[in-house]
Amino acid sequence: MNLSNGRIWPYAIGASIIFIFGACVATIIITNKMPVEKSDTYMMGYHEADDKANEIIEAQIAFNKKYKIECIANNLKQQNGIIKYRVSDINSNPVNNAKINIVVTRPNNHEHDQELYNPKIENGIYTFDSFTLAGEGRWDIMAKVSVDDVQRFYNIKTDTRGMEVVEY
C-alpha cells in the first residue's frame, strides 16, 4: 500500500483525535482519584470567601489603620512548637484585649488541623502554648485577629524543616 499519494492525512488526523480524546479521559480519571479539599485561607470555604471578598478587604484596611500585628516567634517544630504574636496600635502601644483564633493546618489537607486557644498575654505579646504536629513539612498558620470592632486575617506559610516564613 502506497500512502505517498495523500492518503496518510486522514489516518494522521484520525489518530490525533483518538490520542487527544484518550488524554482527556486519562486526565479526568487521574484527577478524580486525587484528594482535593476546599481552600480556607480565611477560615471559611472558598465560596463564602468569594462572597465576602470585599468585606474581608475592607475589614483588613480598617484594622491596619488602627493596629499592627506581627508574628515574633514562629518556632514551628514537630514537637513543642511555639507561636507568638505582637499586637500593637498604630503608635506601637501594646494591645492586650485582642482575640486571636489560630488554626495550624497542612496545605490542602485538614486531617491534622489544630486549633489553638487561650494564649498567655503579656504587654501585647500573645503566646500560644506548645503543641505537637502530626508530621514534619509544610504547615499553614492561619490567624483571625479581632480588636474591638475590627478584624483581619493574618496567615503564615512555614515549614518545620527550615526557617522560611511567608506572610499573606
Side-chain angles (χ1 to χ4, degrees), residues 5-160:
N5 60 2
R7 286 185 275 158
I8 194 167
W9 290 109
Y11 294 113
I13 291 171
S16 297
I17 290 171
I18 291 171
F19 175 75
I20 291 170
F21 180 76
C24 291
V25 169
T27 300
I28 292 169
I29 290 171
I30 290 170
T31 56
N32 278 334
K33 291 180 181 178
M34 300 301 288
V36 177
E37 298 194 28
K38 63 183 180 182
S39 171
D40 61 353
T41 301
Y42 299 108
M43 297 179 166
M44 60 184 82
Y46 69 93
H47 289 296
E48 186 179 359
D50 283 347
D51 291 342
K52 296 181 177 182
N54 289 335
E55 296 169 25
I56 292 169
I57 293 168
E58 290 169 0
Q60 181 170 341
I61 291 169
F63 184 95
N64 290 343
K65 286 181 180 178
K66 294 181 178 182
Y67 305 102
K68 295 185 284 186
I69 181 169
E70 63 181 315
C71 184
I72 58 173
N74 175 12
N75 189 8
L76 192 64
K77 299 178 189 173
Q78 187 174 355
Q79 303 290 325
N80 300 321
I82 296 174
I83 298 174
K84 290 184 183 181
Y85 289 94
R86 176 182 293 130
V87 181
S88 58
D89 64 14
I90 202 69
N91 298 319
S92 298
N93 298 317
V95 174
N96 292 321
N97 65 333
K99 180 181 178 191
I100 302 178
N101 298 334
I102 301 259
V103 175
V104 181
T105 183
R106 287 267 198 199
N108 300 320
N109 184 344
H110 302 288
E111 187 177 335
H112 303 294
D113 285 7
Q114 290 190 38
E115 293 187 34
L116 306 179
Y117 302 102
N118 302 323
K120 297 174 192 146
I121 304 167
E122 185 177 322
N123 202 22
I125 297 175
Y126 295 73
T127 305
F128 290 86
D129 288 333
S130 65
F131 54 93
T132 301
L133 299 173
E136 285 192 355
R138 290 183 49 214
W139 291 86
D140 291 343
I141 304 170
M142 300 184 298
K144 179 180 179 183
V145 184
S146 304
V147 181
D148 299 329
D149 61 339
V150 292
Q151 71 178 13
R152 76 162 287 187
F153 294 92
Y154 187 80
N155 300 331
I156 298 171
K157 293 182 178 287
T158 187
D159 197 315
T160 59

